[in-house]
Amino acid sequence: MQSPEQTAQQIAALRQLIRQYDHEYYVLDMPSVPDSEYDRLFRELQALEQAHPELVTSDSPTQRVGGTPLPELEAVRHRVPMLSIETETDITPEGARAFDARTRKKLGLSDNDPPVEYAAELKFDGLAISLRYENGLLVQAATRGDGEVGEDVTQNIRTIRQIPLRLEGPTPEVLEVRGEVYMSRPDFERYNARQRAQGKPTLVNPRNGAAGAVRQLDSRLTAQRLLSFFTYGLGETKGWEVPARHSELLDALQCFGFPVCAERIVGLGPEPLVQFHRNVAAKRDSLPYDIDGVVYKVNLLALQRELGFRSREPHWAVAHKFPAQEALTELLAIDVQVGRTGAITPVARLKPVFVGGVTVTNATLHNQDEIDRKDVRVGDTVSVRRAGDVIPEVVGVVKDRRPPGSVPYNLLEAIGHHCPVCGSHVIRQEDESVARCTGGLFCSAQRKQAILHFASRRAMDIEGLGEKLVDQLVDAELVHTLADIYKLDSQTLAGLERMAEKSAQNIIDALQKSKKTTLARFIYALGIRNVGEATAKDLAKYFGSLQGLLEADAEKLQQVPDVGPVVADSIVQFLGEAHNREVINALIAAGIHWEDGAGTPADGVFNGKTLVLTGTLPNMSRDEAKALIEEAGGKVAGSVSRKTDYVVAGAEAGSKLEKARELGVTIIDEAALLELLSN
Ligand code: D41
C-alpha cells in the first residue's frame, strides 16, 4: 500500500511527464514517445485521480476535456486594454515604407539618423484572446471583446493542448499573454470533410470555426474542435522583468511554453519589411493556417512607449494586408465534373473574381447536400473562398440579392441521371453524400483523372503529363489504361497538337525517370479509393513488397496500422478486379521498379537523425527538401530542440536559427545538405 505522500508524488511525476509529452507533440511537433505510451500514462493518471479526487488540481492534464456547460459567458474587464492594430491598406511594398516614414517622423528622426529596428511577424486570422497566469497557473482566459471588456472563456481555452495550464521555469507573479486562437487548415479541412460525409453543416472558414469554438457554452464541444494558438504580445505583468525588445519578448514567451510562430524576422529600416511581406505572400498558400497579412512592430519597447497610442491603436505597429481570401461574385451556371472514382461534383461557374491573390472562375459546390443546405441557385450572389492550395469553394449565398424566379438546383435532374461524359447511369447510394458515375474506367473522365493522379508529383511524379496532354491522349484513344502511357514514343507525342519535338522528348525522359520509384508511391499512384499517401506508406512499410500486398486478404490488411475495414475493403475490391491486376502487371512489365523493404534505405545518411528546416532555401522548396531528407532516412521536425541533429537554414531564417545557435546544434545550408545527401 502506498502512503498518501507517495501517491501525491506519483501523480505529480505523471503530470510532469504528460505535460512534457503534450508540449513535444502539440507545440514542438516532435513527439518523443508513441501514442500508446502517452495513452497508458494518461489513463494511469486518470485512475489515480479518480481514486483520490482530493488530489485533482486545475492544472492537471486530465482537466482539459471540458466541463459542465455554462448558462452564459461572463464579462471580464481587461486590466490592460487590448489594443487593436492599424491596418495599412496599401498592399504594395509601399505600405511598409509609409509605416517607416510615419514612425521616423513621430520619433523626430531625420534622414541622417540611423534606421529604426523593426520586428515583422504574421497576422493570423483567428480570434484574439488574453491569457492570465498567476504564480505560473492559468487562471483566466478572455476574448478581446471591445478591447476593454471581453468574455470569460477559461473553460474552453483549457481544452487547447497548445496552451500551457502551467508555465515552464521560474514564474512571474502575474503574466498576461496575448495571442490568436486559430484553427489550422488541415484541422479545418478534416472537420469539414467529416461533417460533409455525415451530411452535417460545415464551417465557412477557419476563423469562424475558431471563434465559434472559443465562445461555446459547452466546453466539451470546444474540446472536439481542434484549435491552435500563437502568441504575439503581452498584457499585465507583475514580478517579471520584461525584455527590452519585442523579438526577445516572444523568445521569452516561447521559453514559458507558448507556441510562437517561427515565421518572423528582425530588421533595420523598411526594406527587410518589404522583403518579408513579399516572401510571406509567396508562401502564403503553403502555410498550414490562414493569415490575412503581416504585422510590423517597432522592436524596442522603449521606443514603443515613446510612440504611444491613440484611440486604441498603437503608433508603433501596423498590419500590412494581403488580398482577401473571400469575395462575392455571381454564380453564372452549375456544371458537373467526373472525378477519378466516378464521383460527380457540382462546380460553380462564376463571374471572374479576384480572391486569395488569383482570379477565380470556378469553385466547388461539393455535393447535393451542400447545395441544399446552403440553398445555392443559379443567378445567386455567392461568397467564394480560396485559401491555400485547396480548390476554391462556394461558402454561402447572399439571399437578399437573389433574383426573382430562381429555382432550387437538383444535380441528378440536371444531368438526367446520366454521366455527362460517358452516358453511364449515375446513382447515389443511400448512405453516400455523393452521386457516382457507374462507368468505371469505361468513362474517359475517370480514366483521365486516374492518369493525372498516377502522374502527379506525390505519386509517380511524371513532369509534363498534365491535364491538357492527358485530355489529348485519352480523346485520341492513344491511352486506354495507365500502362499505355509507358508505350508512348516521342513521334506519337510530337504528332499531337501544340507539342514541340523537344517537349515530346522531355515527356519521354520524364516517363523513363519515373520508372524508378518507391513501393509507397506506386501503391498511392494506383488510385485505390480511400488509399491516400499516408496509407500507401503504411502498406509499403508493412508488406515490404508488392507481392505481399497482392496476396493479402481483408483480415491481413487490417493488421496494418491505421487500416480499418473500410480501407481494407477498398483495397480488396480494387485488387479483386481482373483488369486492375492486369494494369499492375503491365506497369511492372513496362519497367517500373523499386527496392523492396519499405522504401527506407537501410544506409540513408540521415537514418535516425532529426533535421529542422528554416528560412527559404535558394533552389529547393520545403517539400522537396523534406522528401530528400526522408528518402535518406531522416525525419523533419517543426522546431529546434536538443534532439535536433541539423538545422538547414536558408534566407531569412528566424528564431529557429537563433535557437539552434543557442543549443549548439549543427547548422548547414542547402549546399551542405546536398553534399551530405550525395554521400
Ligand atoms: O497575428 C495577429 N492577428 C496579431 C494581432 C499580431 N501578430 N500582432 C498583434 N499585435 C497587436 C498589438 C500591436 C496591439 C500588440 C495583433 C493585435 N494587436 C490584435 N489583434 C486583434 C486585436 C489586436
Side-chain angles (χ1 to χ4, degrees), residues 486-501:
Y486 288 102
K487 294 185 192 139
L488 294 168
D489 55 47
S490 53
Q491 266 154 320
T492 314
L493 283 172
L496 295 170
E497 226 174 291
R498 275 191 295 257
M499 171 72 70
E501 211 163 294

Side-chain angles (χ1 to χ4, degrees), residues 144-165:
R144 177 171 178 276
D146 62 3
E148 295 285 340
V149 176
E151 288 170 315
D152 187 331
V153 289
T154 315
Q155 280 217 46
N156 295 341
I157 292 303
R158 299 177 66 83
T159 68
I160 303 176
R161 299 290 208 278
Q162 283 193 341
I163 294 181
L165 299 177

Side-chain angles (χ1 to χ4, degrees), residues 83-84 121-124 128 144 180 232 295 297 316-317:
L83 301 178
S84 63
E121 62 202 34
L122 305 184
K123 185 165 188 297
F124 307 103
R144 177 171 178 276
E180 205 86 356
Y232 56 68
V295 179
K297 294 175 180 173
W316 46 266

Side-chain angles (χ1 to χ4, degrees), residues 82-86 121-129 144 178-180 230-234 246 291-297 312-314 316-318:
M82 285 182 82
L83 301 178
S84 63
I85 193 160
E86 185 196 341
E121 62 202 34
L122 305 184
K123 185 165 188 297
F124 307 103
D125 203 3
L127 183 75
I129 57 157
R144 177 171 178 276
R178 273 130 195 217
E180 205 86 356
F230 273 132
T231 179
Y232 56 68
L234 215 53
H246 177 71
I291 55 171
D292 54 0
V294 293
V295 179
Y296 311 134
K297 294 175 180 173
R312 306 258 147 271
E313 287 175 359
W316 46 266
V318 75

